Amino acid sequence: MAEDKLTKRADDFSEWYNQLVLKADLADYAPVRGCMVVKPYGWALWENITAVLDKEFKATGHVNAAFPTLIPMSFFEKEKEHVEGFAPELAVVTHGGGQELEEPLVVRPTSETIIGYMYSKWVKSWRDLPILIVQWGSVLRWELRTKLFLRTAEFYWHEGHTAHAGMQEAKEEMYRILDIYERFCLEEAAIPAIKGTKSDTEKFAGAQITTSIEAMMWDKRALQSGTSHYFGQNFAKAFEIQYLDNNNTLQFCETTSWAISSRIIGALIMVHSDDQGLVLPPRLAPIQAVIVPIFKTPEEKIKVMEVAERIFKELKAAGIRIKMDDRDNVSSGFKFNDWEMRGVPVRIEVGPKDVEKESVALARRDRPGREGKSFVPQADLNLTVSGLLVEIQDSLLKRATEYRDANIHHPKDYEELKKVVQDGWAFSYWCESRECETKVKEDCKATTRNIPFDQPDEEGLCIVCGKPSKRKVYFARAY
RNA sequence: CGGGGCGUGGCGCAGUCCGGCUAGCGCGCUUGCUUUGGGAGCAAGAGGUCGGAGGUUCGAAUCCUCUCGCCCCGACCA
């Protein structure tokens, strides 16, 4: 059997990523350019992600609904910035039932327009507000350059669309959601993403304020991992979403929209995984622990399987997502590598020696090789494994946080900024002018990621032009 | 859209320059036996009109023309 090893992460990060997605069995290339097939294992991961978020949204008063995939072309033309932003990447349906359509239909790249249209029908009174709807589904953008999970033509996401009676309330909604996103990344994905406001050039097409969470990947590039937008009355005016307030005055709504997409799976890969393959945070892993029984003779098999089955039931009853690998056509060594490739946090080996000693071998995925292997008693194994899962979760977050902080630089001048953003992020004062932002982008391909909410007390001078600056911004090369 | 690479069994490739027996190899797959504590071994099998169309030729995976598609690197983007 060939070893079929993964390209080393340090040798070719991009190639490592592509191979990993395929070898970990998360996704496959589809016959249509730029599209992917999410395989059962990848979808199970996505389902764990969606389950957590769905629960959070419902707990904060949101409800789910479904809007159509096809949107009349004319809807896009109602909001000027929105159409300019999305026109280049629209897929358009021109024929149906063998006939050319009177009006072309756009395959939704995002649903503000059709939802705005529907909201205008539904909202008449201040009593109809707020509307807090989330749609789970996929959208399509004709991307020029694609990469599995990170940027595919069709991708999966939720898009929240809310309409409110007042500016304050709408802005609060935007921030509330961003908090949910931040907490999700931190507590579930073990990714320490940074909350902040996008610059004008990096804003969503049609938004007044765009906020984002930005995460650092292993190659130190930034990935926008979630966004939450405040539209003011832009879309309300474009789609005439109006209501009578309690003074009988006609008012426009304030709307928001927000999303996390399946690209978050790309983030999980690029933040945590290693040369052995995928590393998943236990809280999101489809399989949290796998049992690999080891035996030679039929007699040994009976004894080993008895213990393995007992452990399986015990851990399952304890709520651990557990898998028994009873394949008899591959060797134990193959299984070890296979489950490491798939990122299962804990592996439990049960062999004849363990049966004798009433022990098992535990291997933790976040520390590959001998270092992460230990021998523990079979008694109270559910507690041992649960504890270990928590420890792994914490350790992944700690490692990612230390890595991020070690690679955020505070350059003293512009020359140093140009240098540090080639292999890290720069956190610097910026005058918030478009000129300075563009200059950085042209000089070193780094863009402003966001202006974090967390700011130092004192003011400073723009790292580019030297003019007074109130706030610091993250500059980084981004995906 | 610019630059680069590639289309040959399921996957990865060789063969193409310089046309010639029945198109090879590795992995995977199937069956059997031996194996199983870090990617097992042996044996026997199944599986390909060489991306597509046209042309040159006695003869094309190979030469010519056209075409389709994919991947990677840039600009754009979640």
Side-chain angles (χ1 to χ4, degrees):
Chain A
M1 178 163 310
E3 296 207 356
D4 201 20
K5 274 193 176 156
L6 193 60
T7 292
K8 291 206 180 309
R9 180 173 59 168
D11 289 350
D12 186 342
F13 189 71
S14 179
E15 185 56 28
W16 166 85
Y17 178 91
N18 289 334
Q19 289 181 9
L20 174 44
V21 171
L22 299 177
K23 286 175 191 283
D25 211 26
L26 295 171
D28 201 353
Y29 292 101
V32 177
R33 193 201 140 273
C35 291
M36 70 174 162
V37 174
V38 181
K39 295 187 74 178
Y41 190 59
W43 195 259
L45 176 57
W46 178 238
E47 280 179 337
N48 287 346
I49 293 165
T50 60
V52 173
L53 289 169
D54 185 56
K55 203 171 150 201
E56 291 281 338
F57 298 147
K58 285 174 178 160
T60 44
H62 301 82
V63 290
N64 289 334
F67 295 84
T69 302
L70 297 177
I71 301 176
M73 182 64 126
S74 58
F75 281 23
F76 277 83
E77 285 144 16
K78 292 186 185 214
E79 215 286 339
K80 189 170 152 286
E81 285 180 27
H82 194 66
V83 67
E84 281 173 7
F86 282 103
E89 50 191 50
L90 294 180
V92 183
V93 177
T94 55
H95 289 72
Q99 301 269 316
E100 184 164 356
L101 301 174
E102 260 180 54
E103 181 181 357
L105 300 174
V106 169
V107 180
R108 63 183 173 206
T110 178
S111 304
E112 277 76 10
T113 56
I114 184 124
I115 291 178
Y117 172 84
M118 295 312 298
Y119 282 7
S120 73
K121 284 177 68 173
W122 298 342
V123 176
K124 297 296 167 211
S125 150
W126 63 276
R127 295 178 214 272
D128 297 327
L129 297 169
I131 299 188
L132 308 171
I133 289 181
V134 181
Q135 162 165 260
W136 289 89
S138 71
V139 290
L140 189 78
R141 299 178 187 178
W142 213 259
E143 295 292 346
L144 299 176
R145 226 184 110 198
T146 59
K147 200 172 176 74
L148 294 170
F149 287 114
L150 279 189
R151 177 167 296 102
T152 45
E154 184 180 18
F155 60 88
Y156 299 88
W157 73 350
H158 66 263
E159 43 180 327
H161 294 272
T162 68
H164 306 264
M167 179 203 286
Q168 198 55 36
E169 190 186 304
K171 285 186 178 173
E172 278 168 14
E173 168 75 3
M174 171 184 72
Y175 291 121
R176 178 180 307 119
I177 297 300
L178 197 68
D179 283 343
I180 290 175
Y181 289 169
E182 181 198 35
R183 211 165 52 240
F184 167 79
C185 283
L186 211 60
E187 293 173 5
E188 306 290 332
I191 296 173
I194 294 171
K195 283 190 299 186
T197 309
K198 284 287 196 184
S199 74
D200 277 352
T201 53
E202 298 282 333
K203 267 188 338 195
F204 179 81
Q208 284 192 7
I209 305 173
T210 288
T211 59
S212 74
I213 48 170
E214 303 282 334
M216 184 187 287
M217 305 295 104
W218 185 80
D219 64 349
K220 294 152 200 159
R221 285 171 72 176
L223 185 77
Q224 180 174 305
S225 306
T227 48
S228 185
H229 317 288
Y230 164 70
F231 293 128
Q233 299 181 342
N234 288 2
F235 281 91
K237 283 180 175 161
F239 289 92
E240 297 175 313
I241 314 173
Q242 287 177 295
Y243 64 96
L244 281 171
D245 68 13
N246 53 8
N247 295 316
N248 203 32
T249 312
L250 199 57
Q251 303 278 5
F252 283 106
C253 283
E254 302 263 333
T255 64
T256 79
S257 85
W258 26 272
I260 280 184
S261 76
S262 45
R263 99 184 310 198
I264 195 77
I265 292 175
L268 285 171
I269 297 168
M270 292 196 292
V271 169
H272 299 305
S273 303
D274 61 21
D275 287 347
Q276 313 301 325
L278 188 60
V279 175
L280 290 175
R283 293 184 63 93
L284 295 177
I287 300 169
Q288 293 174 309
V290 62
I291 300 175
V292 179
I294 298 158
F295 48 81
K296 288 194 178 102
T297 63
E299 297 77 49
E300 279 178 349
K301 179 176 179 179
I302 292 167
K303 285 182 187 168
V304 164
M305 286 313 292
E306 193 188 316
V307 174
E309 296 284 1
R310 198 191 70 225
I311 290 171
F312 179 84
K313 281 183 197 149
E314 228 177 87
L315 298 202
K316 198 178 172 81
I320 295 167
R321 295 191 287 273
I322 184 141
K323 162 99 184 166
M324 172 76 79
D325 187 354
D326 53 7
R327 286 178 291 179
D328 57 5
N329 58 335
V330 291
S331 67
S332 306
F334 181 90
K335 291 178 183 178
F336 298 166
N337 286 289
D338 194 33
W339 293 114
E340 279 169 9
M341 185 62 77
R342 289 161 180 259
V344 174
V346 175
R347 184 178 69 243
I348 303 167
E349 302 169 21
V350 185
K353 289 180 214 163
D354 300 300
V355 173
E356 238 172 75
K357 295 184 200 161
E358 294 188 9
S359 68
V360 298
L362 281 191
R364 50 188 290 181
R365 181 62 186 86
D366 60 332
R367 293 186 197 156
R370 203 167 296 165
E371 191 207 344
K373 221 160 168 172
S374 59
F375 296 88
V376 301
Q378 287 169 19
D380 292 329
L381 191 62
N382 57 339
L383 299 178
T384 312
V385 171
S386 303
L388 185 56
L389 289 172
V390 170
E391 201 183 316
I392 293 171
Q393 181 83 27
D394 291 347
S395 131
L396 287 177
L397 177 60
K398 184 163 175 274
R399 190 166 73 185
T401 307
E402 285 169 0
Y403 191 80
R404 179 197 69 183
D405 293 344
N407 289 292
I408 293 178
H409 306 286
H410 304 267
K412 285 172 193 63
D413 53 34
Y414 188 56
E415 283 310 305
E416 196 184 334
L417 178 136
K418 283 199 279 190
K419 205 180 295 169
V420 298
V421 293
Q422 295 314 313
D423 193 36
W425 294 13
F427 189 40
S428 302
Y429 282 102
W430 168 50
C431 64
E432 299 183 34
S433 77
R434 188 168 290 220
E435 292 71 42
C436 290
E437 191 179 17
T438 307
K439 181 169 166 55
V440 173
K441 190 172 181 180
E442 282 170 2
D443 287 351
C444 45
K445 289 179 182 167
T447 51
T448 61
R449 298 324 304 156
N450 67 22
I451 302 165
F453 301 149
D454 241 345
Q455 289 284 338
D457 295 331
E458 68 273 20
E459 298 186 359
L461 302 173
C462 174
I463 187 94
V464 186
C465 67
K467 287 179 188 151
S469 153
K470 285 196 171 68
R471 299 188 292 176
K472 293 180 97 169
V473 69
Y474 289 102
F475 288 102
R477 297 182 64 174
Y479 274 99

